[in-house]
Amino acid sequence: MVLREVEPSQNISDFPLISANLPGKHRIHLLLLFELWITIIIMFFLNRGYYSSLFIQKTWTYLLLPLFIYGLFWQFFIISILLSGIVYHIVRLIEPPKEGFFELSSREAQFYFMRFWICYYGLYIARAMPLPWADMYFYRIFGAHIGKNIVLYDSWIDPEYVDIEDNCMISLNTQLISHAIIGKYLYVKRVLVKKSGIAGGGAIVAPGTTIREGAVLGGGSTSHFNQELAPYCIHVGTPAKIALPIKVEKTSKKKKMRKK
Amino acid sequence: MSSPTSTKLTPPNYLDPRVRRKYIWIYLFQVWISLIPASFLVLWFFYSWFIRILPSFYNFNDVSWTLSNLVKKFWDYPNWAAGLILPILIAIIYITSVIWSAIITKLIIATLNRIHAPSEGVFFRNLADKDYLFWNLRNLSRIFLFWLISSSPFIFLKKTFLYTFFGVPIGKKSVINQTWISPEFVEIGENVIIGQSAALYSYLIQGDKLLVAKIQIADGVKIGPQTVLLPGTKVDENVIVDGGSFAHPFTVMDSNSIYGGIPCEKLENSEKIWLEFFK
C-alpha cells in the first residue's frame, strides 16, 4: 500500500494519533555539544575582564558578584538560543521543511527530526528562563507565526508549521502537534489557531486541525487529523464534537453605557 | 517558569513524607559522596587555570578600558586555549558526576534489595509494612540521579543511565525520550515509540493501600501522546494506542489492533485499518 497516492482524498480521521520525536540517524547530540561549547567560549571571552578583576581584590567587584551571576544566566540563555536559531536556519537551507507524507527512513523525515532536536535545545533553555513569557519571542526565531497578546503556559508546541493569531490561549499541558507517525510514515500538516481561539488544559491538537475564530477545544479532549473546529463553539470529547455554541456580544457593555 | 510537561523528564517517583523525614540522611549522604569526584575536578581546574594563568594575562596596574586596548589585549592573550578547554572541562565534570552518582545509587539499591527483595502486590501504607518502606527507600535513593539527568537539555543520557544501567529492560531502537516511565517493574521491547508526556505508572495509591504491578510492553508497540497506562497492563505486539487515552489497571491489549478512548477499549474496524495501513 502507498499512502502517498491517496493523500488528499483519503479520510485519515479514523487513524490513531501517535506523535514522537525520534533521534534519527544523525548524531544530533554531538551538534548540541558543539553548540554548548561555542556558547561557553563566547561567555568566557565576554566576561574575561570581570574574572580577572576579581583577582585585584577590590571591594566594588565583589559587590557586583550577585548581579554578575544573574547576568551570566541571561547571557547563557540568549546566546544559546540565538546559536541554535542560526544552526536551525543553516540546516533548513540544506533541506527545507515540507508538508505531507514521508517514509520514516526517508531524507525528509530524518531531517525533520534533526531540525526538531536543534529547536528543542533552544526551546528547552528558553522555557527554563526566569521570564515566563519570554518563550513566545523565541518561537519566532524558528519561524513559527505567533501573534500578539497570547498565553502559552506549560503547553508543548511544535516549532514548525504552527500559526497562532492574536488573543489566543493555549492552556496547561496542551500538546499542539503538527507532526504524527502513521504506520511507517511521518505526516506533517500545518496547525492553525485563528483569532481568540482557545485550547483547554490537557487537550491534544492533532496535525492539520484549524481552530476557527473564537472556537474552544475543551480540556482533555483531542481533535482528529484535518479537523475544522466551527467558529464560536465549544468542542468536547475524543474526537472532539460540537457541544455548545457561544453567544457573542459584538459591542461591549461599556460602549452601550456611554451611548445612554 | 513555563516549561512544558514533556520537557520535565523526571520519572514518576512517589515519596511518603514520613519516610522523607526519617531517612533524609540517606539522601544527604548520597549527594555528599556522589559529588566528591566532581568537586576534586573543580578544585584542580580552579588552581591550575584560574589562579596560575589568569592573573598573568594582565599587568593589573595599568588596565585601561578603552576599546582599542581591549581588542589589542584580546589578541595578545597568551594562553587563550584555556577558554577553548573550559566548556569541555564543564562537560567532563557533569558526566563524571552523573556516572559516579549512578554507581552510588546502584550500590545503595543493591544493599536495600539484599535486606528486603522487591516484590509486586498490594501493600498497606504503613511504615510497619516492610514492602512499602523499602519501596519508598528505593524511590528516595533515586531522586538525586533523576534530578541530575533531567535538568540538562541532553535527554539522550536518560535511557542508559536511568533504565538500562539499573536493569530495567528497554529494547533497541525504542524511543522514550519525552515520557514518564516508572523506574521499576517495567518491561519495554524493541522498536517501541512512545509520544510526548505519556505516563506509564507501575504503582497506584488508593486510600491506605499501594498497588505495585508490572507493566509489560512487547515489540513494535506505538503509544500516542498523553496516554496514561496504570499498573498491570499487558500490551501485546504491534498494538497502537491512540493519543489522550486512559487505561484502567490490569487491562490486556491483544496483538495487531488499535486501542483508544477513556477507558481504553478496542476501536471498531481496528483490525481492518491495521491490516491496511500499519502492517
Side-chain angles (χ1 to χ4, degrees):
Chain A
M1 71 96 195
V2 182
L3 263 176
R4 240 176 252 178
E5 290 178 5
V6 280
E7 185 222 315
S9 61
Q10 178 72 39
N11 183 22
I12 60 166
S13 62
D14 304 337
F15 284 8
L17 173 63
I18 294 146
S19 167
N21 302 298
L22 313 180
K25 285 172 189 170
H26 304 276
R27 305 212 163 200
I28 302 149
H29 38 291
L30 286 178
L31 198 75
L32 298 184
L33 269 178
F34 179 71
E35 275 179 36
L36 188 75
W37 188 48
I38 287 175
T39 49
I40 293 172
I41 284 169
I42 291 168
M43 279 170 67
F44 183 79
F45 283 114
L46 276 175
N47 305 304
R48 208 160 44 91
Y50 186 80
Y51 294 143
S52 43
S53 74
L54 282 176
F55 289 95
I56 317 169
Q57 295 182 344
K58 282 182 179 174
T59 46
W60 65 271
T61 54
Y62 287 105
L63 285 173
L64 282 176
L65 193 64
L67 203 70
F68 172 70
I69 291 165
Y70 186 65
L72 274 183
F73 274 107
W74 278 95
Q75 275 182 33
F76 178 71
F77 289 137
I78 290 169
I79 292 168
S80 52
I81 290 159
L82 288 177
L83 249 176
S84 60
I86 290 163
V87 171
Y88 169 75
H89 281 283
I90 290 165
V91 174
R92 202 186 155 113
L93 282 177
I94 298 165
E95 182 66 44
K98 286 172 194 167
E99 287 179 295
F101 285 95
F102 311 108
E103 279 185 39
L104 279 178
S105 57
S106 70
R107 185 183 153 88
E108 287 94 342
Q110 291 293 323
F111 265 86
Y112 180 87
F113 291 123
M114 188 184 182
R115 272 182 272 121
F116 178 86
W117 285 114
I118 290 162
C119 292
Y120 182 87
Y121 175 75
L123 289 173
Y124 184 98
I125 288 163
R127 284 302 182 83
M129 270 170 93
L131 283 180
W133 57 87
D135 47 6
M136 289 192 314
Y137 302 105
F138 293 111
Y139 268 104
R140 287 172 192 163
I141 291 172
F142 302 110
H145 298 283
I146 285 177
K148 288 173 188 171
N149 194 20
I150 62 158
V151 198
L152 295 186
Y153 292 123
D154 291 6
S155 56
W156 175 253
I157 294 169
D158 273 353
E160 283 179 352
Y161 289 116
V162 168
D163 284 9
I164 301 173
E165 290 187 356
D166 299 349
N167 305 331
C168 287
M169 190 177 88
I170 289 146
S171 307
L172 288 160
N173 200 6
T174 310
Q175 310 276 322
L176 216 140
I177 296 161
S178 64
H179 75 283
I181 293 166
I182 299 175
K184 291 171 187 174
Y185 294 88
L186 174 75
Y187 179 58
V188 182
K189 195 79 193 287
R190 190 178 290 278
V191 172
L192 280 165
V193 184
K194 296 279 183 185
K195 273 185 185 175
S196 61
I198 294 173
I204 306 172
V205 181
T209 53
T210 53
I211 297 177
R212 292 274 168 206
E213 284 183 21
V216 178
L217 183 66
S221 49
T222 58
S223 67
H224 53 69
F225 293 102
N226 303 341
Q227 193 179 9
E228 279 202 20
L229 304 190
Y232 300 108
C233 282
I234 301 173
H235 297 70
V236 180
T238 49
K241 286 166 189 169
I242 296 172
L244 275 174
I246 305 168
K247 236 184 182 180
V248 186
E249 288 185 4
K250 284 183 180 176
T251 51
S252 61
K253 283 179 181 176
K254 276 187 181 176
K255 280 184 181 176
K256 279 182 182 177
M257 292 289 280
R258 274 173 199 166
K259 278 174 188 173
K260 282 173 184 176
Chain B
M1 321 267 172
S2 65
S3 55
T5 41
S6 61
T7 63
K8 289 170 192 156
L9 297 161
T10 41
N13 210 1
Y14 175 79
L15 191 62
D16 196 302
R18 288 168 292 179
V19 174
R20 192 182 61 207
R21 275 178 227 126
K22 210 173 178 184
Y23 295 95
I24 192 73
W25 57 272
I26 291 181
Y27 177 74
L28 293 174
F29 176 74
Q30 188 190 353
V31 172
W32 176 55
I33 294 244
S34 55
L35 286 178
I36 281 172
S39 58
F40 270 111
L41 274 173
V42 169
L43 265 180
W44 169 76
F45 168 69
F46 186 76
Y47 278 108
S48 61
W49 295 102
F50 267 61
I51 295 286
R52 286 181 197 162
I53 295 167
L54 259 177
S56 66
F57 293 156
Y58 298 115
N59 184 10
F60 285 113
N61 296 323
D62 60 2
V63 173
S64 58
W65 294 90
T66 55
L67 187 71
S68 59
N69 197 29
L70 281 175
V71 169
K72 194 193 161 197
K73 268 178 179 167
F74 182 81
W75 292 114
D76 292 347
Y77 194 34
N79 201 345
W80 54 274
L84 301 182
I85 293 165
L86 177 73
I88 296 168
L89 276 167
I90 290 170
I92 288 168
I93 287 164
Y94 176 70
I95 288 166
T96 45
S97 53
V98 164
I99 291 169
W100 184 245
S101 57
I103 291 165
I104 292 292
T105 47
K106 190 166 189 185
L107 280 173
I108 289 172
I109 286 170
T111 49
L112 287 173
N113 288 348
R114 267 289 175 82
I115 299 164
H116 189 89
S119 60
E120 301 171 46
V122 182
F123 312 117
F124 281 103
R125 288 175 66 197
N126 269 330
L127 296 193
D129 195 335
K130 257 198 165 183
D131 283 297
Y132 181 67
L133 176 66
F134 277 83
W135 182 79
N136 270 308
L137 285 177
R138 270 179 268 131
N139 283 352
L140 177 71
S141 60
R142 282 196 198 93
I143 286 174
F144 179 65
L145 182 67
F146 284 172
W147 176 80
L148 201 64
I149 287 171
S150 63
S151 59
S152 80
F154 305 110
I155 59 170
F156 305 99
L157 295 170
K158 195 185 167 192
K159 194 174 162 184
T160 53
F161 282 107
L162 288 190
Y163 296 104
T164 50
F165 184 70
F166 288 94
V168 178
I170 290 177
K172 286 175 186 175
K173 290 184 181 176
S174 55
V175 182
I176 53 143
N177 289 329
Q178 294 174 293
T179 57
W180 288 307
I181 297 173
S182 289
E184 275 187 342
F185 300 113
V186 168
E187 277 185 11
I188 293 175
E190 293 179 6
N191 291 319
V192 176
I193 293 172
I194 302 179
Q196 289 103 316
S197 74
L200 313 188
Y201 294 95
S202 69
Y203 69 89
L204 188 72
I205 290 164
Q206 198 158 46
D208 60 342
K209 277 167 194 169
L210 167 80
L211 167 70
V212 178
K214 200 173 217 174
I215 290 183
Q216 286 176 317
I217 291 172
D219 299 347
V221 174
K222 280 160 190 171
I223 296 171
Q226 288 197 10
T227 51
V228 178
L229 300 186
L230 289 176
T233 49
K234 272 187 184 179
V235 186
D236 254 15
E237 288 183 358
N238 303 325
V239 168
I240 292 163
V241 184
D242 194 7
S245 52
F246 178 94
H248 283 305
F250 297 103
T251 48
V252 179
M253 303 190 187
D254 302 329
S255 58
N256 302 344
S257 51
I258 301 167
Y259 280 78
I262 304 170
C264 209
E265 284 168 352
K266 195 185 263 189
L267 298 178
E268 288 175 22
N269 303 322
S270 68
E271 278 157 357
K272 190 187 157 196
I273 292 173
W274 193 92
L275 279 173
E276 270 185 58
F277 294 101
F278 299 105
K279 201 174 179 183

